[in-house]
Amino acid sequence: MSSALRQKFPEDRLHILVATHNSGNFTYDGIETGAERVTQEIEEHIASLEKEGSRIARLSMFGYSLGGLLARYSIGLMYSNGWFDRIEPVNFTTSATPHLGVRTPILGVHSRLWNVLGSRTLSTSGRQLFSIDTFRDTGRPLLSVLSDPHSIFMKALSLFKHRVLYANIINDRSAPYYTSYITKVDPYTDLSAIDIHYIKGYDPIVADPIDPVSRKPPDPSQTFWSRIAGNSQNILTHVPIMAAFVVLIPIGSVLFLVNSGIQSIRSQKRIKLHESGQAGVGLGNYRIPLMVENARSAVEGTISSMNGAQQRKTLPAGVDKDPNPQSYSASEKLEGNVEVESVSRRRSSSIEPRFPVLNLSSEQFTMVDNLDEIGWRKYAVHIPKVRHTHAAIIVRSMSRKSFKDGKRVVDHWLEEEFEI
């Protein structure tokens, strides 16, 4: 991504900082810890550039995977510290970012087991991504606070001129479609039943954000027995893979749990150093009130003192956990809203086809509503030839030929969305 930016824009027009203070296993240490490291890195870089004579007038953020959540937290800290009073926030972009966390919406024993074990094997970050944490004195998960309309994080996000996200529709096991697209439905669970509408010039990779998908008409030639035969053939095709999983999954699970335990112990040691101020991060600048009202009161109090001296994918029929239930269609519920004011109009639309609502938690439903209210341009990405598309969407390895479709996504962002 940074090399693509540099090819398009010379250094005298665009300074690029690739944050390194939260790389590798440091991602286990929690979103706020990582964001505080990144914020300090950004502030020190800006100060260094200004010391050399550069004038920084505009700021853009790009967050990939967990980095998107760190970026959302970081801009809240920068907003609270007054950076956006003198620097214009322009582009805020995320790619394959788990905005709603990684709690699986699939019903069933295996999914429940994953939600329990996964949240307890990834140290602080795992608890936060599964929303089983209690963030500081808020009594709420960090992701819930991060999406609160009254928080410094949402206030900062609203200031950016462009808010854009990209989400894989298939094969992203790290950040599935529903969480990276910020949505309550997933129309891409059966690609054979839909037609995807792509953006001209970026087909068949980037879907049209306004009209991304439609259902295919029923095929009258498919009888009941032909569907049974087709399903049976699919099952037989996957038998060798399933047999391999029976052998490999127990081995892989043991290795995963052992590594997670080691990394969690190391992470807790790093967090203790960070919290004690011995990790090189000045916490005094970042441990500020999280809500705008509280922040305002704190500032007023300071001034006064100075003067005085966050086995199904869908809910069963008839079950509705959405605190704000609505009738969702492809256009409204795929929420590719291009303008903020179009949100209410989309939600009242009665355009077919309709898709079932996912089995999200009540907190996740609220996150979707809050984040959508602020307005995003959302792009669904279809990379069919890669088993794990999480890395392909940003071309994390230039040597992988199978990642070439990801280059089209990067090109779309640079040509159609990024404003210097």
Side-chain angles (χ1 to χ4, degrees):
M1 188 64 70
S2 60
S3 60
L5 277 168
R6 180 54 69 225
Q7 288 176 12
K8 187 172 178 63
F9 303 107
E11 194 167 356
D12 60 348
R13 293 191 63 201
L14 180 70
H15 293 283
I16 301 173
L17 170 65
V18 179
T20 60
H21 290 186
N22 203 61
S23 59
N25 293 326
F26 278 43
T27 55
Y28 278 82
D29 300 350
I31 293 168
E32 81 281 14
T33 302
E36 287 168 356
R37 291 170 181 150
V38 169
T39 304
Q40 178 169 295
E41 190 173 358
I42 293 171
E43 293 179 344
E44 288 177 348
H45 188 69
I46 293 175
S48 176
L49 290 172
E50 291 180 335
K51 187 176 181 180
E52 295 171 359
S54 297
R55 177 179 173 271
I56 307 302
R58 314 181 91 195
L59 175 75
S60 294
M61 299 280 278
F62 184 98
Y64 163 65
S65 192
L66 183 65
L69 294 175
L70 268 60
R72 283 176 52 197
Y73 195 107
S74 179
I75 60 173
L77 298 180
M78 295 185 72
Y79 164 80
S80 183
N81 288 340
W83 282 97
F84 298 148
D85 294 336
R86 64 184 184 91
I87 296 179
E88 179 188 3
V90 184
N91 306 286
F92 188 91
T93 308
T94 66
S95 183
T97 288
H99 291 282
L100 309 181
V102 295
R103 172 194 171 276
T104 178
I106 303 174
L107 300 176
V109 175
H110 295 90
S111 299
R112 290 176 183 174
L113 186 62
W114 160 247
N115 287 333
V116 171
L117 291 179
S119 60
R120 288 161 175 80
T121 55
L122 297 174
S123 189
T124 302
S125 294
R127 298 181 67 83
Q128 292 172 346
L129 289 172
F130 282 89
S131 291
I132 64 168
D133 64 306
T134 300
F135 185 55
R136 295 191 188 158
D137 58 353
T138 64
R140 298 157 58 192
L142 182 144
L143 291 183
S144 177
V145 175
L146 202 59
S147 304
D148 190 306
H150 303 292
S151 69
I152 57 174
F153 313 110
M154 290 290 277
K155 179 62 178 178
L157 189 59
S158 71
L159 296 177
F160 279 80
K161 187 175 181 181
H162 306 293
R163 291 173 296 277
V164 179
L165 64 80
Y166 292 87
N168 286 306
I169 66 172
I170 57 171
N171 297 339
D172 192 330
R173 296 184 294 276
S174 299
Y177 169 79
Y178 78 94
T179 185
S180 51
Y181 198 84
I182 311 175
T183 182
K184 303 173 187 177
V185 298
D186 185 353
Y188 303 104
T189 55
D190 183 5
L191 297 185
S192 66
I194 61 170
D195 286 317
I196 303 174
H197 311 148
Y198 299 100
I199 298 174
K200 186 177 181 180
Y202 298 95
D203 49 337
I205 307 298
V206 184
D208 182 347
I210 302 300
D211 184 24
V213 66
S214 61
R215 285 193 193 277
K216 289 180 179 178
D219 185 357
S221 64
Q222 267 209 324
T223 65
F224 171 78
W225 294 111
S226 65
R227 288 195 297 269
I228 292 293
N231 292 335
S232 300
Q233 186 173 357
N234 288 334
I235 293 172
L236 290 174
T237 302
H238 288 90
V239 164
I241 299 175
M242 294 167 65
F245 280 174
V246 169
V247 176
L248 295 177
I249 284 180
I251 299 174
S253 298
V254 171
L255 294 175
F256 169 76
L257 290 172
V258 169
N259 180 66
S260 295
I262 294 171
Q263 297 304 332
S264 294
I265 293 171
R266 293 176 177 174
S267 174
Q268 291 303 318
K269 291 180 179 178
R270 289 193 299 268
I271 292 172
K272 286 182 180 179
L273 287 174
H274 182 88
E275 293 294 324
S276 65
Q278 300 178 52
V281 178
L283 297 184
N285 295 328
Y286 308 130
R287 295 303 166 90
I288 37 79
L290 304 176
M291 300 298 162
V292 173
E293 289 83 354
N294 294 340
R296 187 180 300 115
S297 299
V299 171
E300 291 172 353
T302 301
I303 294 175
S304 176
S305 298
M306 291 174 63
N307 289 337
Q310 230 272 332
Q311 190 58 32
R312 297 177 61 180
K313 268 196 169 182
T314 58
L315 292 172
V319 178
D320 192 355
K321 291 169 60 180
D322 189 345
N324 300 302
Q326 301 168 43
S327 178
Y328 300 123
S329 70
S331 62
E332 59 197 329
K333 210 43 181 172
L334 295 183
E335 293 146 331
N337 45 302
V338 177
E339 299 294 340
V340 177
E341 58 266 26
S342 69
V343 174
S344 59
R345 184 171 66 253
R346 289 177 184 281
R347 288 181 176 173
S348 62
S349 170
S350 60
I351 300 174
E352 293 288 339
R354 302 179 187 281
F355 297 94
V357 178
L358 292 169
N359 178 40
L360 304 180
S361 67
S362 59
E363 287 172 338
Q364 287 175 316
F365 280 124
T366 301
M367 289 179 208
V368 174
D369 289 334
N370 291 343
L371 287 167
D372 272 344
E373 193 65 32
I374 210 167
W376 295 78
R377 282 195 291 275
K378 300 181 179 182
Y379 294 99
V381 175
H382 184 204
I383 302 177
K385 300 176 183 178
V386 180
R387 288 187 178 275
H388 190 27
T389 54
H390 193 69
I393 196 170
I394 63 160
V395 199
R396 202 158 67 184
S397 174
M398 298 293 290
S399 62
R400 293 279 297 274
K401 292 182 179 180
S402 59
F403 284 10
K404 63 182 178 62
D405 287 342
K407 179 67 166 57
R408 301 278 299 283
V409 182
V410 175
D411 289 343
H412 176 269
W413 178 64
L414 286 174
E415 297 298 331
E416 308 296 337
E417 290 296 341
F418 185 77
E419 177 183 333
I420 192 169

